[in-house]
Amino acid sequence: MHSPKGWLPKLLIAVVVAYLSILILLPIAAILQGAFARGVETFLNALSEPQVIAAFRLSVTLALVAVVVNAVFGTIIAWVMVRQDFWGKGFFNALIDLPFVVSPVITGYMVVLLFGRQGWFAPFVEATGLKVAFALPGMLLVTIFVSLPFTIREVMPVLREIGTEPEQAAHTLGAGGWRTFLRVTLPGIRWGLLYGISLTLARALGEFGGVLVAGGGISGQTETATLFIFAALDERQYIAAYAVAIVLAVVSFVVLIGMEILRQRSQVTQ
Amino acid sequence: MSIVLQDLVKHIGAHTVVDHVSLEVHDGELLVLLGPSGSGKSTILRIIAGLIPADQGRVWLHGRDVTDLSPQQRNTGFVFQNYSLFRHMTVADNIEFGLASRHVPKAQRTAKREELLALVGLAGLGGRYPKQLSGGQQQRVAVARALAFEPSVLLLDEPFGALDVKIRAQLRQALKEIQQRIRVTTILVTHDQEEAFELADRIGVIDRGKLLEVGPPTALYRSPQQEFVATFLGGANLLAGQAKAGRVNLGSMELSNAASYTTVDPEGRLEVLFRPEDLMLATQREELTIPVLGQGVIEEVLFLGTLQRLRLRLQPLPDTWHLPPEFGETGVPIQIARIPRSDGHLDFQVGQQVWVGIHNFHILPRIPMRLAIGLDEHTNAEVLLNYSALLARITNGPLTVIAVAEDRADAAQLSKYARDNLMAHTGEVNYHIRAGRSPEELVRDLKQGAYDLLVLAEPRKIAPRAETNLRELVRRSPLPVLIVKGEHASIRRILFCTAGGEPGKRDIIFGGRIARRAGAATTLLYVDAATVRAARPWITNHLEEGALTLRNQGIQVGVKERHGVIIEEILQEIQQGEHDLVVIGRHLETAQTRFAQTDLASEILQRAECPVLIVTGDLNRLG
């Protein structure tokens, strides 16, 4: 005979498994089924279409630039926010979270408003010939904007927690500012920074609304992987849509696993 | 001289964290800076290491003025309270960090690292990460890291603070040995007096940013010069006694060789320190072959292993009182430490009557009361300066005249006037010249210095501006304020106003301090404003406690009740009782401001014809 305590946990486990299966595994299975419905060769052919390759290249470019820019500036901003005091710090600190609450579509629209034909910077765009709206620079701006908070929000608490004493210790041991940053501060925040970077990468790869509005989704030019999926579905090219979706899902999955490993490592060494 | 600190001053916000600290540490010496938390000792250490700049003063290390050098250039080894080891580096890399910063070749670094690991007893653990070590081991790595590059001095900030008691004792011994072996000049900061006694060649006691005394542990323990040092180092019984006709009496005990008591002040009062172990107990007076202090009742017996601690209360002793004064208690509380005999013979019980004898005692120099004199262009300077000189004579303390005017030249003029006026005063006088708005500059000065009382005077002639300044100062002063009114050449009768409520502890204790030194008689006045007369036992009780507090200090006290309009009754009492100083507490002020346009304090201030003492702010120590 089982005590009531015996079957209740089992019931809960069953509920959790069913819930996660329906919500996560089922859609993945559906996508996999769709992608491989006509065999592996069709799947690979779909991925080697020039249009698809261009979309991936654009997505990766956007994501990598966003990661590099946000890692560098994010670390600087986090350091300033934690270590320095200045007038209006609270305001700027709140401003960092703005990308979380503003819809990416609005962000994209802001780029168009600023750099479009009627925009504030229209004279600048005309004078230099540098196209921003409906082109790569505009999409870059949107991607950097939407993924801005991640690095900052991951690095700030770590910086706060390690405090200034390790840096002061390095100073008394004769290390200058740069050596202290490279050998003490940076290693101290590295797991937080890497975690922030992976979140930035995932967010940048998955961006849809903002890049659609700012870039226009012109096939082969301003069409990212996510935009391609949307267009392909619209045109009933299911195999191509599912194939690209699979690749994005795999990348996200790898990032997810990576993040989990980083999180565990950071718990061990900090 | 390895370390020389000259007149260091550091302010953080309005606080003076380090207050004119000068210190010399000899080559190879281990000096312990001992003080309560927040006393500024860690700040001094950080100033020496260059981690924070001093506002004033200079630091020399081995004859080199390093005041303007960066921490990297100072070559000091620093051990932080939580060690601040680099957690992502191995123990070996941590220890080599200082050498690598100095571009020492790898082979030399390795050799030095191994030598240090052996020195701190961690040989073979170089490959570990800090996280894999115990707290005690981490602390030793921190010491090794700080010593690796052969620093000119070693600075340790509460290095044992994070460890448990047993490991602490072991590591103390280990640190002492290492320090003696390599003879590096060391300053260690701690709040733990046991640690200080065990490690120090000399101890420097710090309180509120001031370095009070420096000396070998035994000298500081046996013959401290100041009350704080006496009470902070170990258990202390401190009694104030009275010298009469060349002899000093403490209870029934007579300190006969009065000639050696050079510290007796003109009024014949002195403070006597005896340690808990300086006392001996007996059930019969005849059993004591040493001078007898008196008889008392045991209130508490604590068993502490080797030692037994007893607290007992002596019957009130004539012309003798306990320091710091207790509020509302009679008798003299005494701490005693003794080694109980293992056969249980002569064990004492709570409630038992015993006789107390003294083996040993030490007489402290008088603690002065430090007076700040606020002088601006509206002040009736002559009245203020005369009264201040009187107060300084009574309280035996230094005067600081703070002259404030919008224009620096005017302030200097005021200061010069004060100097001419105080020519005849024999005590110590300092002069501060400050340009700016009077209340602001005065309050700033007050927060920076260790004063006990601010003395002001009524304006020369009636000017609205001067009135508001005065009121603002009374409100903002962090210290008790005494406002001088009219010419008074003595303080004989002091009135404590308790109208509308209970007497504050602070005003009674602080006012009592002046009364005791002036030898003045005091009156506790209670004015009942209620039209219906009713018994208020809590007020009577509290008045009695207040009176007792004063009486315990050898002050003559009377208690008086009046009925009617508070302000009128107070003014009448001042006149009728011929009081020459009125003491009021802040509680009067706040209670009244809600209902009246002018508060009671300012009304008394306006209408009374004698000086008024308003007791506000923090009174940390009273003596």
Short mmCIF file of all heavy atoms in Angstrom, two decimals, chain B residues 368-374 384-393 395-402 418 421-422 425-432 451 453 455:
data_model
loop_
_atom_site.label_atom_id
_atom_site.label_comp_id
_atom_site.label_asym_id
_atom_site.label_seq_id
_atom_site.Cartn_x
_atom_site.Cartn_y
_atom_site.Cartn_z
N PRO B 368 39.58 67.17 31.11
CA PRO B 368 39.05 68.51 30.93
C PRO B 368 37.75 68.50 30.13
O PRO B 368 37.46 67.56 29.41
CB PRO B 368 40.15 69.20 30.12
CG PRO B 368 40.81 68.10 29.37
CD PRO B 368 40.66 66.85 30.17
N MET B 369 36.97 69.54 30.29
CA MET B 369 35.81 69.75 29.43
C MET B 369 36.24 70.73 28.35
O MET B 369 36.78 71.80 28.65
CB MET B 369 34.66 70.33 30.27
CG MET B 369 33.34 70.39 29.53
SD MET B 369 32.06 71.20 30.51
CE MET B 369 31.28 69.82 31.31
N ARG B 370 36.05 70.35 27.09
CA ARG B 370 36.55 71.20 26.00
C ARG B 370 35.46 72.17 25.55
O ARG B 370 34.39 71.75 25.17
CB ARG B 370 36.99 70.34 24.82
CG ARG B 370 38.15 69.46 25.18
CD ARG B 370 38.48 68.46 24.09
NE ARG B 370 39.69 67.77 24.47
CZ ARG B 370 40.91 68.23 24.24
NH1 ARG B 370 41.06 69.35 23.56
NH2 ARG B 370 41.96 67.57 24.65
N LEU B 371 35.78 73.43 25.61
CA LEU B 371 34.78 74.45 25.31
C LEU B 371 35.03 75.08 23.94
O LEU B 371 36.14 75.44 23.61
CB LEU B 371 34.83 75.56 26.37
CG LEU B 371 34.70 75.11 27.82
CD1 LEU B 371 34.83 76.31 28.73
CD2 LEU B 371 33.39 74.40 28.05
N ALA B 372 33.95 75.20 23.16
CA ALA B 372 34.02 75.93 21.90
C ALA B 372 33.30 77.26 22.11
O ALA B 372 32.16 77.27 22.59
CB ALA B 372 33.35 75.13 20.79
N ILE B 373 33.97 78.35 21.78
CA ILE B 373 33.38 79.67 22.01
C ILE B 373 33.01 80.27 20.66
O ILE B 373 33.88 80.51 19.82
CB ILE B 373 34.39 80.61 22.70
CG1 ILE B 373 35.07 79.91 23.87
CG2 ILE B 373 33.72 81.91 23.13
CD1 ILE B 373 34.15 79.42 24.94
N GLY B 374 31.70 80.45 20.40
CA GLY B 374 31.25 80.98 19.12
C GLY B 374 31.15 82.49 19.16
O GLY B 374 30.40 83.06 19.94
N LEU B 384 30.81 87.36 26.75
CA LEU B 384 31.08 85.98 26.34
C LEU B 384 32.45 85.52 26.83
O LEU B 384 32.60 84.44 27.41
CB LEU B 384 30.99 85.85 24.82
CG LEU B 384 31.37 84.49 24.24
CD1 LEU B 384 30.32 83.45 24.60
CD2 LEU B 384 31.53 84.56 22.73
N LEU B 385 33.46 86.35 26.60
CA LEU B 385 34.82 85.94 26.90
C LEU B 385 35.07 85.84 28.41
O LEU B 385 35.73 84.91 28.87
CB LEU B 385 35.82 86.89 26.23
CG LEU B 385 35.77 86.83 24.70
CD1 LEU B 385 36.55 87.97 24.09
CD2 LEU B 385 36.28 85.48 24.19
N ASN B 386 34.49 86.79 29.16
CA ASN B 386 34.65 86.72 30.61
C ASN B 386 34.06 85.43 31.18
O ASN B 386 34.67 84.75 31.99
CB ASN B 386 33.96 87.92 31.29
CG ASN B 386 34.76 89.18 31.08
OD1 ASN B 386 35.95 89.11 30.73
ND2 ASN B 386 34.12 90.32 31.27
N TYR B 387 32.83 85.12 30.70
CA TYR B 387 32.15 83.95 31.23
C TYR B 387 32.87 82.67 30.79
O TYR B 387 32.98 81.71 31.55
CB TYR B 387 30.69 83.93 30.75
CG TYR B 387 29.81 83.03 31.59
CD1 TYR B 387 29.27 83.48 32.78
CD2 TYR B 387 29.51 81.73 31.17
CE1 TYR B 387 28.46 82.66 33.55
CE2 TYR B 387 28.71 80.91 31.93
CZ TYR B 387 28.18 81.39 33.13
OH TYR B 387 27.38 80.57 33.88
N SER B 388 33.37 82.66 29.54
CA SER B 388 34.09 81.49 29.03
C SER B 388 35.32 81.21 29.87
O SER B 388 35.64 80.06 30.17
CB SER B 388 34.50 81.70 27.58
OG SER B 388 33.35 81.93 26.80
N ALA B 389 36.03 82.28 30.24
CA ALA B 389 37.23 82.11 31.06
C ALA B 389 36.85 81.51 32.42
O ALA B 389 37.53 80.62 32.93
CB ALA B 389 37.94 83.44 31.24
N LEU B 390 35.69 81.98 32.95
CA LEU B 390 35.20 81.43 34.22
C LEU B 390 34.90 79.93 34.08
O LEU B 390 35.33 79.11 34.89
CB LEU B 390 33.93 82.19 34.64
CG LEU B 390 33.09 81.57 35.77
CD1 LEU B 390 33.79 81.74 37.10
CD2 LEU B 390 31.69 82.18 35.82
N LEU B 391 34.18 79.59 32.99
CA LEU B 391 33.85 78.18 32.75
C LEU B 391 35.10 77.33 32.59
O LEU B 391 35.18 76.21 33.09
CB LEU B 391 33.02 78.06 31.47
CG LEU B 391 31.51 78.12 31.60
CD1 LEU B 391 30.89 78.07 30.22
CD2 LEU B 391 30.99 76.96 32.44
N ALA B 392 36.08 77.85 31.87
CA ALA B 392 37.31 77.10 31.63
C ALA B 392 38.05 76.86 32.94
O ALA B 392 38.63 75.80 33.15
CB ALA B 392 38.20 77.85 30.65
N ARG B 393 38.00 77.86 33.84
CA ARG B 393 38.66 77.67 35.15
C ARG B 393 37.95 76.57 35.93
O ARG B 393 38.57 75.71 36.53
CB ARG B 393 38.63 78.98 35.95
CG ARG B 393 39.78 79.91 35.61
CD ARG B 393 39.96 80.97 36.71
NE ARG B 393 38.77 81.77 36.95
CZ ARG B 393 38.40 82.82 36.21
NH1 ARG B 393 39.14 83.16 35.16
NH2 ARG B 393 37.32 83.49 36.50
N THR B 395 35.98 74.10 34.72
CA THR B 395 36.00 72.77 34.09
C THR B 395 37.41 72.33 33.73
O THR B 395 37.61 71.23 33.24
CB THR B 395 35.15 72.76 32.83
OG1 THR B 395 35.67 73.75 31.93
CG2 THR B 395 33.70 73.07 33.13
N ASN B 396 38.39 73.22 33.94
CA ASN B 396 39.78 72.82 33.78
C ASN B 396 40.12 72.43 32.35
O ASN B 396 40.94 71.55 32.11
CB ASN B 396 40.07 71.66 34.73
CG ASN B 396 41.55 71.51 34.99
OD1 ASN B 396 42.30 72.47 34.83
ND2 ASN B 396 41.97 70.33 35.38
N GLY B 397 39.43 73.02 31.37
CA GLY B 397 39.61 72.57 29.98
C GLY B 397 40.14 73.64 29.07
O GLY B 397 40.18 74.82 29.41
N PRO B 398 40.55 73.23 27.87
CA PRO B 398 41.03 74.19 26.87
C PRO B 398 39.85 74.93 26.23
O PRO B 398 38.76 74.38 26.09
CB PRO B 398 41.73 73.30 25.85
CG PRO B 398 41.08 71.97 25.97
CD PRO B 398 40.61 71.84 27.39
N LEU B 399 40.09 76.16 25.83
CA LEU B 399 39.10 76.98 25.13
C LEU B 399 39.46 77.03 23.66
O LEU B 399 40.64 77.12 23.32
CB LEU B 399 39.16 78.42 25.65
CG LEU B 399 38.58 78.78 26.99
CD1 LEU B 399 38.88 80.25 27.28
CD2 LEU B 399 37.09 78.56 26.95
N THR B 400 38.45 76.98 22.80
CA THR B 400 38.71 77.26 21.39
C THR B 400 37.76 78.37 20.96
O THR B 400 36.54 78.20 21.01
CB THR B 400 38.47 76.00 20.53
OG1 THR B 400 39.31 74.96 21.02
CG2 THR B 400 38.80 76.28 19.08
N VAL B 401 38.33 79.51 20.62
CA VAL B 401 37.51 80.63 20.16
C VAL B 401 37.34 80.50 18.65
O VAL B 401 38.32 80.46 17.91
CB VAL B 401 38.16 81.98 20.51
CG1 VAL B 401 37.34 83.13 19.94
CG2 VAL B 401 38.32 82.12 22.02
N ILE B 402 36.08 80.39 18.22
CA ILE B 402 35.81 80.28 16.79
C ILE B 402 35.23 81.62 16.33
O ILE B 402 34.08 81.93 16.63
CB ILE B 402 34.84 79.13 16.49
CG1 ILE B 402 35.37 77.82 17.11
CG2 ILE B 402 34.64 78.96 14.99
CD1 ILE B 402 34.31 76.75 17.25
N ALA B 418 39.46 88.84 20.89
CA ALA B 418 39.35 87.77 21.88
C ALA B 418 40.69 87.51 22.54
O ALA B 418 40.80 87.35 23.76
CB ALA B 418 38.83 86.50 21.21
N ASN B 421 41.47 90.09 25.05
CA ASN B 421 40.61 89.95 26.21
C ASN B 421 40.99 88.80 27.11
O ASN B 421 40.74 88.82 28.30
CB ASN B 421 39.17 89.79 25.76
CG ASN B 421 38.35 91.00 26.09
OD1 ASN B 421 37.66 91.05 27.10
ND2 ASN B 421 38.48 92.02 25.24
N LEU B 422 41.53 87.73 26.49
CA LEU B 422 41.84 86.52 27.26
C LEU B 422 43.30 86.50 27.71
O LEU B 422 43.80 85.46 28.13
CB LEU B 422 41.53 85.27 26.43
CG LEU B 422 40.03 84.99 26.20
CD1 LEU B 422 39.84 83.89 25.17
CD2 LEU B 422 39.35 84.61 27.51
N HIS B 425 43.94 84.94 30.98
CA HIS B 425 43.55 83.55 31.19
C HIS B 425 44.77 82.64 31.08
O HIS B 425 45.52 82.70 30.12
CB HIS B 425 42.49 83.15 30.15
CG HIS B 425 42.00 81.76 30.33
ND1 HIS B 425 41.28 81.35 31.43
CD2 HIS B 425 42.14 80.65 29.54
CE1 HIS B 425 40.99 80.08 31.31
NE2 HIS B 425 41.51 79.62 30.18
N THR B 426 44.94 81.77 32.09
CA THR B 426 46.17 80.98 32.14
C THR B 426 46.05 79.65 31.38
O THR B 426 47.05 79.05 31.04
CB THR B 426 46.55 80.67 33.60
OG1 THR B 426 45.39 80.20 34.26
CG2 THR B 426 47.09 81.91 34.28
N GLY B 427 44.81 79.19 31.12
CA GLY B 427 44.65 77.89 30.47
C GLY B 427 44.95 77.95 28.98
O GLY B 427 45.29 79.00 28.43
N GLU B 428 44.82 76.78 28.34
CA GLU B 428 45.09 76.68 26.91
C GLU B 428 43.96 77.35 26.11
O GLU B 428 42.79 77.13 26.38
CB GLU B 428 45.15 75.18 26.54
CG GLU B 428 45.39 74.92 25.08
CD GLU B 428 45.21 73.44 24.74
OE1 GLU B 428 45.22 72.60 25.67
OE2 GLU B 428 45.04 73.13 23.55
N VAL B 429 44.32 78.19 25.13
CA VAL B 429 43.31 78.79 24.25
C VAL B 429 43.74 78.61 22.80
O VAL B 429 44.90 78.84 22.44
CB VAL B 429 43.12 80.31 24.51
CG1 VAL B 429 41.89 80.81 23.78
CG2 VAL B 429 43.03 80.61 25.99
N ASN B 430 42.81 78.14 21.96
CA ASN B 430 43.06 78.05 20.52
C ASN B 430 42.17 79.05 19.81
O ASN B 430 41.08 79.36 20.29
CB ASN B 430 42.72 76.64 20.01
CG ASN B 430 43.41 75.57 20.82
OD1 ASN B 430 44.63 75.51 20.86
ND2 ASN B 430 42.62 74.73 21.49
N TYR B 431 42.63 79.50 18.65
CA TYR B 431 41.81 80.45 17.88
C TYR B 431 41.57 79.92 16.48
O TYR B 431 42.51 79.54 15.79
CB TYR B 431 42.51 81.81 17.82
CG TYR B 431 42.67 82.44 19.18
CD1 TYR B 431 43.80 82.21 19.94
CD2 TYR B 431 41.65 83.22 19.72
CE1 TYR B 431 43.95 82.75 21.21
CE2 TYR B 431 41.77 83.78 20.98
CZ TYR B 431 42.92 83.53 21.73
OH TYR B 431 43.04 84.06 22.98
N HIS B 432 40.30 79.85 16.09
CA HIS B 432 39.95 79.47 14.72
C HIS B 432 39.32 80.67 14.03
O HIS B 432 38.41 81.29 14.57
CB HIS B 432 38.94 78.32 14.71
CG HIS B 432 39.51 77.03 15.20
ND1 HIS B 432 38.79 75.86 15.28
CD2 HIS B 432 40.76 76.71 15.65
CE1 HIS B 432 39.55 74.89 15.75
NE2 HIS B 432 40.74 75.38 15.99
N TYR B 451 34.69 68.76 20.86
CA TYR B 451 34.32 69.69 21.92
C TYR B 451 33.23 69.05 22.78
O TYR B 451 32.59 68.09 22.36
CB TYR B 451 33.78 71.00 21.34
CG TYR B 451 34.70 71.67 20.37
CD1 TYR B 451 34.37 71.73 19.02
CD2 TYR B 451 35.89 72.25 20.78
CE1 TYR B 451 35.21 72.34 18.11
CE2 TYR B 451 36.73 72.87 19.88
CZ TYR B 451 36.39 72.92 18.54
OH TYR B 451 37.21 73.52 17.66
N LEU B 453 31.13 71.38 24.81
CA LEU B 453 30.12 72.40 25.06
C LEU B 453 30.37 73.61 24.15
O LEU B 453 31.51 74.04 23.99
CB LEU B 453 30.19 72.82 26.54
CG LEU B 453 29.30 73.98 26.99
CD1 LEU B 453 27.83 73.61 26.88
CD2 LEU B 453 29.63 74.38 28.43
N VAL B 455 29.71 77.56 23.75
CA VAL B 455 29.33 78.74 24.54
C VAL B 455 29.07 79.90 23.59
O VAL B 455 29.90 80.23 22.73
CB VAL B 455 30.44 79.12 25.55
CG1 VAL B 455 29.94 80.22 26.47
CG2 VAL B 455 30.87 77.91 26.34
#
